[in-house]
Amino acid sequence: LEKEALLKVNEAKELKDLQEVRVAYLGKKGPITEVLRGMGKLSKEERPVIGELANKVRENIANELDGKKSTLEAIELEKQLENETIDVTLPGRPVQIGGPHLLTSIVGEIEDLFIGMGFEVREGPEVETDYYNFEALNLPKGHPARDMQDSFYITEDILLRTHTSPVQARTMGEYNGEKPVKMICPGKVYRRDTDDATHSHQFTQIEGLYVDKDVRMSDLKGVLNRFAKEMFGEDREIRLRPSFFPFTEPSVEMDISCKVCNGKGCSVCKKTGWIEILGGGMVHPRVLEMAGYDPDVYNGFAFGMGPERIAMLKYGVDDIRHFYINDNRFLKQYHKA
Ligand code: PHE
């Protein structure tokens, strides 16, 4: 019996085989247990002899099993290690590194430019009250110009802001009508437009506001001229055209001279050679007054621009939807190395 068992142990190739041998020979239903169980039937003289023999056989088999188990375990471990070895000489997989979204970069660039001219950067809520979005900007209820910006209303008095101009009123309010204000505010705005190449129901704006005791239209022109040249190149000219916004008087729209350059030189684009990029004007006295500034002491200028439009002109992007579809093939072109 012992020999037979030891042979089986030797033949075992896997840990699972060993366990089978253990159960077969040493288990509760195995031959040795049976012998030991039958001891009662043996004579007094036979008992110690058979008992000793049975124990001995059991011990030998158990020892052999344990020995073989260690060997098999070692082999298994060896195999596992071999399978898991890494060939460190294989070329690595390139790591995909992201980069800022074109819109994020442009907004950052514009912010830096205005910070350089002494403006602070502020933020305001995207879910805005009718008061700040319209009333405080000289657009009382029923004013026809409210229709210029079709709005997403949440309740009768709360809406998604249609422009960043409410931040003008909020900032002046915080400054208590006492201190000069010089801020820009980038952020998302919402309008009920059907999306197409030049419209998006959500887009971004950057507002600018400068209120102090002696601010003039020429200051607005100077600041915007600097902006246009920094953004598009020193050879660009700006021009202001009369326009209308309820919160500025007088109001203007600004064009930049429009040049398209290629390998053969530069030519003027479009028929007129000018392209509109933003709206602005002198802050309406009523807007100053509502925000707590005395219009006889303070005055100021404000402007609002769309960074998408700036980016489209600067980089020749032909469809505003590119900014929001987030196709990596588009976005990657503008990642700086
Ligand atoms: N809020 C205006 C718009 O959305 C832009 C603007 C801002 C005009 C500030 C004048 C002054 O069209």
PDB file of all heavy atoms in Angstrom, residues 77 79 92 138 149 168 229 262 304:
ATOM      1  N   LEU A  77       5.215  28.387  -9.452  1.00  0.00           N
ATOM      2  CA  LEU A  77       5.636  29.777  -9.270  1.00  0.00           C
ATOM      3  C   LEU A  77       6.594  30.185 -10.387  1.00  0.00           C
ATOM      4  O   LEU A  77       6.487  31.258 -10.973  1.00  0.00           O
ATOM      5  CB  LEU A  77       6.315  29.920  -7.900  1.00  0.00           C
ATOM      6  CG  LEU A  77       6.773  31.333  -7.541  1.00  0.00           C
ATOM      7  CD1 LEU A  77       5.567  32.254  -7.389  1.00  0.00           C
ATOM      8  CD2 LEU A  77       7.585  31.320  -6.246  1.00  0.00           C
ATOM      9  N   LYS A  79       6.785  28.966 -13.335  1.00  0.00           N
ATOM     10  CA  LYS A  79       6.024  29.117 -14.580  1.00  0.00           C
ATOM     11  C   LYS A  79       5.344  30.476 -14.624  1.00  0.00           C
ATOM     12  O   LYS A  79       5.358  31.183 -15.623  1.00  0.00           O
ATOM     13  CB  LYS A  79       4.921  28.030 -14.640  1.00  0.00           C
ATOM     14  CG  LYS A  79       5.274  26.873 -15.556  1.00  0.00           C
ATOM     15  CD  LYS A  79       3.989  26.135 -15.896  1.00  0.00           C
ATOM     16  CE  LYS A  79       4.166  24.635 -15.677  1.00  0.00           C
ATOM     17  NZ  LYS A  79       2.905  23.931 -15.448  1.00  0.00           N
ATOM     18  N   GLY A  92       7.919  51.543 -26.029  1.00  0.00           N
ATOM     19  CA  GLY A  92       6.754  51.872 -25.210  1.00  0.00           C
ATOM     20  C   GLY A  92       5.607  52.373 -26.056  1.00  0.00           C
ATOM     21  O   GLY A  92       5.793  52.759 -27.212  1.00  0.00           O
ATOM     22  N   ASN A 138     -30.860  98.927 -18.419  1.00  0.00           N
ATOM     23  CA  ASN A 138     -31.732  99.851 -19.128  1.00  0.00           C
ATOM     24  C   ASN A 138     -32.637  99.158 -20.150  1.00  0.00           C
ATOM     25  O   ASN A 138     -32.928  99.701 -21.211  1.00  0.00           O
ATOM     26  CB  ASN A 138     -30.877 100.943 -19.797  1.00  0.00           C
ATOM     27  CG  ASN A 138     -31.701 102.145 -20.215  1.00  0.00           C
ATOM     28  OD1 ASN A 138     -32.708 102.443 -19.557  1.00  0.00           O
ATOM     29  ND2 ASN A 138     -31.305 102.801 -21.282  1.00  0.00           N
ATOM     30  N   GLN A 149     -32.313  89.491 -28.068  1.00  0.00           N
ATOM     31  CA  GLN A 149     -31.675  88.318 -27.484  1.00  0.00           C
ATOM     32  C   GLN A 149     -32.745  87.369 -26.980  1.00  0.00           C
ATOM     33  O   GLN A 149     -33.229  87.498 -25.870  1.00  0.00           O
ATOM     34  CB  GLN A 149     -30.768  88.743 -26.320  1.00  0.00           C
ATOM     35  CG  GLN A 149     -29.749  89.765 -26.743  1.00  0.00           C
ATOM     36  CD  GLN A 149     -28.980  90.336 -25.588  1.00  0.00           C
ATOM     37  OE1 GLN A 149     -29.211  89.998 -24.436  1.00  0.00           O
ATOM     38  NE2 GLN A 149     -28.047  91.204 -25.891  1.00  0.00           N
ATOM     39  N   GLN A 168     -21.442  93.581 -15.459  1.00  0.00           N
ATOM     40  CA  GLN A 168     -21.173  95.029 -15.300  1.00  0.00           C
ATOM     41  C   GLN A 168     -21.927  95.551 -14.087  1.00  0.00           C
ATOM     42  O   GLN A 168     -21.360  96.179 -13.193  1.00  0.00           O
ATOM     43  CB  GLN A 168     -21.710  95.821 -16.496  1.00  0.00           C
ATOM     44  CG  GLN A 168     -20.958  95.724 -17.786  1.00  0.00           C
ATOM     45  CD  GLN A 168     -21.561  96.692 -18.807  1.00  0.00           C
ATOM     46  OE1 GLN A 168     -22.025  97.785 -18.445  1.00  0.00           O
ATOM     47  NE2 GLN A 168     -21.552  96.308 -20.065  1.00  0.00           N
ATOM     48  N   LYS A 229      -4.479  94.836 -32.245  1.00  0.00           N
ATOM     49  CA  LYS A 229      -3.119  94.694 -32.771  1.00  0.00           C
ATOM     50  C   LYS A 229      -2.392  93.530 -32.102  1.00  0.00           C
ATOM     51  O   LYS A 229      -1.672  92.772 -32.748  1.00  0.00           O
ATOM     52  CB  LYS A 229      -2.356  96.004 -32.605  1.00  0.00           C
ATOM     53  CG  LYS A 229      -2.821  97.077 -33.601  1.00  0.00           C
ATOM     54  CD  LYS A 229      -1.923  98.294 -33.555  1.00  0.00           C
ATOM     55  CE  LYS A 229      -1.973  99.127 -34.837  1.00  0.00           C
ATOM     56  NZ  LYS A 229      -3.296  99.605 -35.236  1.00  0.00           N
ATOM     57  N   ASN A 262      -1.251  84.625 -47.741  1.00  0.00           N
ATOM     58  CA  ASN A 262      -0.793  83.286 -48.122  1.00  0.00           C
ATOM     59  C   ASN A 262       0.638  83.416 -48.631  1.00  0.00           C
ATOM     60  O   ASN A 262       1.258  84.472 -48.503  1.00  0.00           O
ATOM     61  CB  ASN A 262      -1.724  82.673 -49.177  1.00  0.00           C
ATOM     62  CG  ASN A 262      -1.869  83.540 -50.411  1.00  0.00           C
ATOM     63  OD1 ASN A 262      -0.934  84.275 -50.759  1.00  0.00           O
ATOM     64  ND2 ASN A 262      -3.012  83.478 -51.048  1.00  0.00           N
ATOM     65  N   GLY A 304     -18.322  94.240 -25.448  1.00  0.00           N
ATOM     66  CA  GLY A 304     -18.548  92.805 -25.344  1.00  0.00           C
ATOM     67  C   GLY A 304     -18.129  92.144 -26.639  1.00  0.00           C
ATOM     68  O   GLY A 304     -18.428  92.642 -27.727  1.00  0.00           O
TER      69      GLY A 304
END
